[in-house]
Amino acid sequence: MTTTIEINPGTLTLAELRTIAKAPVRVTLTKGCKIKIDASVKTVSDVISQGRVIYGINTGFGLLASTVIPADELEHLQRSIVLSHAAGVGTFMEESTVRLMMVLKINSLARGYSGIRLEVIDALIQLVNAEVYPCIPQKGSVGASGDLAPLAHMSTLLLGEGEASHKGKKLSGLEGLQIAGLSPIILGPKEGLALLNGTQASTAFALEGLFAAEELFAAAMVSGSLSVEAALGSRRPFDPLVHEVRGHRSQIDVAACYRRLLDHSQIENSHKSCESVQDPYSLRCQPQVMGACLTQIRNAAEVIATEANAVSDNPLVFSKENDIISGGNFHAEPIAMVADNLALAIAEIGALSERRMALLIDSHMSKLPPFLVEKGGLNSGFMIAQVTSAALASENKSLAHPASVDSLPTSANQEDHVSMATFAARRLSEMAENTAGVLAIELLASCQGVDFRAPLKTSPLLEEAKALVRKVVAFYDQDRYFAPDIKKAQDLVQSGAFNHLVSSDLLPSFTS
């Protein structure tokens, strides 16, 4: 059954946005928003009738802003900007990304500061509800002056141009409109610019990166706890006294989660009197590292949620003040910076996981069979799985290089500093895929290690996690085709199968 989300403009929650990202939805607008939308359209109309010259309404764009456009060419101006700016390249965005992007644009325009008619906003809603999505190339935005190319490709569909997809089938833009029960729209003054200006593509990518980071975080908490058990790690580093004196909220919360996951373990009781003094950092410092990652995730969630509800086109129409102001809300620097911080968190989650897995296959460190398999030599066990894990973790180090520190001037130096937010957020998907692979390998290794501790059992929560893994991947008793096992475990990670085992207040999109 399709979920219906009523948009009260400017109040979308991360939980609602997660729902929109996961599956097709039906969206509606609250009735009250029509007043502000109509008022902004009237303000634009009044400006034109008064003969005032306002950027984006009756002028050219970018460096051509000083060119005044005659009133009888304003409709042509808006159509031209959409078609000329649809200059993206590369593979098309996933339908889920486009759906998010469209809902974000609906949410922003419906706040009533953009001078665009309700009729145009309703057309976007009809397309979303009919599951007709514009085909939008992933590349071509620098995240300043808005995500111009992606949003232009989104808008071509309203004109009956471009390409669309419907339930996986590619269509012409005109065919897509017909499926949604629409006809091509003639855009009025400012409407093309209102559609094209904005950070909705960058923000959609960033939201997907945030949701993936949450799922990676939850899986890493579980796999890290299982590794503690498999390696007979100490519980002392998770003691609340240690974390309270440092004072970082996320570190304190993460340590509490580890204690909960590890509580009531037979394996722990079996080695309480062991002579081990200190565990390696990848076990002992998990609250510190994962706490720092959680801080980045929480901060990113706050910034992205704000931007998801922002008015980020230009110029802005303030009907109550009877004013139209050209500013720079289209500059996506907030998204660029938090996307870079999410990249660091995603990379570090994977880097720490790879080190734990490497520890488990080293029999000198873990006191488990070499490479986690009986008859080592005849069997190679997890030897090359760790190589794969190292390759993925290393690749993420390069991808984590900050995008927001880069800028190339555009529009003949009129737009002389840009955010690169679109790439900053888009690359999170590839990084998350890599880290999911690393965590999948650790999950298989840590469950293998815990199984070697039988008949002792781990904690009830970790037994539940191990059962999820063992439901799809059997114990590795001898060498077999390994790749399908990793894929099945990776699917568990990316599906959020371990989210419920982690305190819900650690995951921002589940508590908003």
Side-chain angles (χ1 to χ4, degrees):
M1 183 175 176
T2 304
T3 301
T4 297
I5 293 177
E6 183 180 55
I7 300 174
N8 181 13
T11 66
L12 280 174
T13 67
L14 288 173
E16 288 172 325
L17 291 163
R18 179 180 265 276
T19 298
I20 293 163
K22 291 297 181 184
V25 294
R26 290 189 58 80
V27 296
T28 61
L29 288 177
T30 54
K31 292 180 180 178
C33 64
K34 184 177 186 301
I35 296 170
K36 290 186 73 172
I37 293 170
D38 290 346
S40 73
V41 174
K42 183 178 185 303
T43 301
V44 171
S45 179
D46 290 346
V47 161
I48 295 169
S49 64
Q50 293 162 10
R52 292 163 57 191
V53 176
I54 302 289
Y55 168 73
I57 294 177
N58 48 14
T59 72
F61 308 105
L63 196 65
L64 304 176
S66 59
T67 304
V68 179
I69 308 299
D72 61 353
E73 293 185 356
L74 294 183
E75 287 181 357
H76 180 70
L77 172 70
Q78 299 304 311
R79 180 179 176 84
S80 292
I81 190 177
V82 171
L83 297 178
S84 67
H85 285 44
V89 299
T91 56
F92 292 139
M93 294 179 186
E94 297 291 332
E95 287 189 353
S96 57
T97 312
V98 176
R99 181 171 58 247
L100 256 181
M101 179 175 155
M102 294 174 77
V103 173
L104 291 173
K105 178 54 83 173
I106 291 163
N107 184 42
S108 179
L109 295 176
R111 288 189 60 185
Y113 295 98
S114 302
I116 189 168
R117 291 168 294 159
L118 182 59
E119 171 190 343
V120 182
I121 301 171
D122 280 341
L124 287 172
I125 291 172
Q126 280 186 245
L127 290 169
V128 170
N129 292 346
E131 299 177 42
V132 175
Y133 306 116
C135 293
I136 303 176
Q138 291 191 12
K139 300 180 181 181
S141 175
V142 295
S145 220
D147 291 316
L148 293 171
L151 288 166
H153 281 277
M154 179 196 79
S155 304
T156 56
L157 186 51
L158 296 173
L159 307 180
E161 301 281 355
E163 297 175 83
S165 66
H166 177 63
K167 300 185 184 298
K169 182 181 178 182
K170 292 291 184 291
L171 310 162
S172 70
L174 192 56
E175 288 172 325
L177 282 183
Q178 290 168 348
I179 288 173
L182 294 167
S183 299
I185 288 176
I186 297 174
L187 297 174
K190 194 187 177 298
E191 290 183 336
L193 190 58
L195 289 164
L196 269 56
N197 255 183
T199 63
Q200 286 77 31
S202 298
T203 305
F205 280 129
L207 281 164
E208 291 182 322
L210 170 66
F211 301 147
E214 290 181 314
E215 271 140 19
L216 297 173
F217 177 87
M221 293 292 294
V222 171
S223 64
S225 298
L226 283 164
S227 290
V228 169
E229 288 284 77
L232 303 181
S234 172
R235 300 301 194 276
R236 297 286 282 169
F238 305 106
D239 192 299
L241 294 173
V242 173
H243 307 287
E244 286 167 6
V245 296
R246 195 176 198 189
H248 291 296
R249 180 76 258 160
S250 292
Q251 180 179 321
I252 292 168
D253 293 344
V254 164
C257 187
Y258 278 117
R259 291 194 300 274
R260 190 175 70 85
L261 286 167
L262 291 161
D263 201 20
H264 303 301
S265 163
Q266 294 177 6
I267 294 176
E268 178 199 7
N269 292 334
S270 74
H271 64 94
K272 274 189 173 179
S273 302
C274 72
E275 297 177 1
S276 176
V277 178
Q278 288 188 328
D279 293 329
Y281 290 177
S282 61
L283 298 180
R284 187 182 1 146
C285 297
Q286 288 186 81
Q288 289 78 7
V289 177
M290 293 297 287
C293 292
L294 179 58
T295 295
Q296 300 310 315
I297 292 170
R298 284 172 164 172
N299 178 62
E302 180 181 346
V303 173
I304 295 169
T306 298
E307 192 67 17
N309 287 293
V311 180
S312 57
D313 63 292
N314 187 63
L316 299 177
V317 181
F318 298 93
S319 301
K320 190 181 294 185
E321 294 79 8
N322 194 31
D323 201 0
I324 299 177
I325 303 174
S326 184
N329 281 1
F330 50 69
H331 201 297
E333 194 79 356
I335 293 296
M337 286 190 171
V338 296
D340 281 343
N341 291 338
L342 278 175
L344 294 176
I346 290 169
E348 281 297 273
I349 289 169
L352 194 65
S353 172
E354 185 278 328
R355 287 293 79 204
R356 291 190 299 261
M357 191 271 170
L359 181 155
L360 293 178
I361 64 173
D362 184 344
S363 59
H364 299 290
M365 298 289 287
S366 68
K367 305 297 186 274
L368 291 164
F371 301 106
L372 299 173
V373 70
E374 299 287 9
K375 298 183 180 179
L378 174 63
N379 292 309
S380 295
F382 282 69
M383 181 188 296
I384 303 305
Q386 189 271 326
V387 174
T388 297
S389 184
L392 294 172
S394 180
E395 192 172 301
N396 271 357
K397 293 176 185 178
S398 296
L399 289 169
H401 180 83
S404 60
V405 297
D406 186 31
S407 177
L408 282 173
T410 60
S411 193
N413 289 308
Q414 171 75 5
E415 296 153 6
D416 58 351
H417 182 276
V418 299
S419 72
M420 299 299 177
T422 324
F423 170 67
R426 176 167 54 82
R427 60 64 145 92
L428 296 177
S429 174
E430 184 177 357
M431 293 186 69
E433 183 84 12
N434 288 340
T435 292
V438 174
L439 290 170
I441 292 167
E442 186 195 6
L443 279 165
L444 295 176
S446 58
C447 287
Q448 185 84 355
V450 168
D451 280 341
F452 275 123
R453 302 299 181 191
L456 297 175
K457 290 185 176 294
T458 181
S459 71
L461 287 176
L462 295 180
E463 284 290 337
E464 182 181 343
K466 186 161 73 74
L468 288 172
V469 175
R470 287 288 172 252
K471 187 176 181 179
V472 294
V473 179
F475 178 79
Y476 197 91
D477 56 349
Q478 62 181 3
D479 283 347
R480 62 177 184 248
Y481 185 24
F482 211 142
D485 291 354
I486 297 172
K487 177 64 168 65
K488 289 172 184 175
Q490 185 168 343
D491 288 344
L492 284 177
V493 172
Q494 293 178 299
S495 70
F498 303 102
N499 292 357
H500 70 287
L501 297 172
V502 174
S503 306
S504 62
D505 59 352
L506 294 184
L507 304 173
S509 76
F510 289 88
T511 57
S512 67

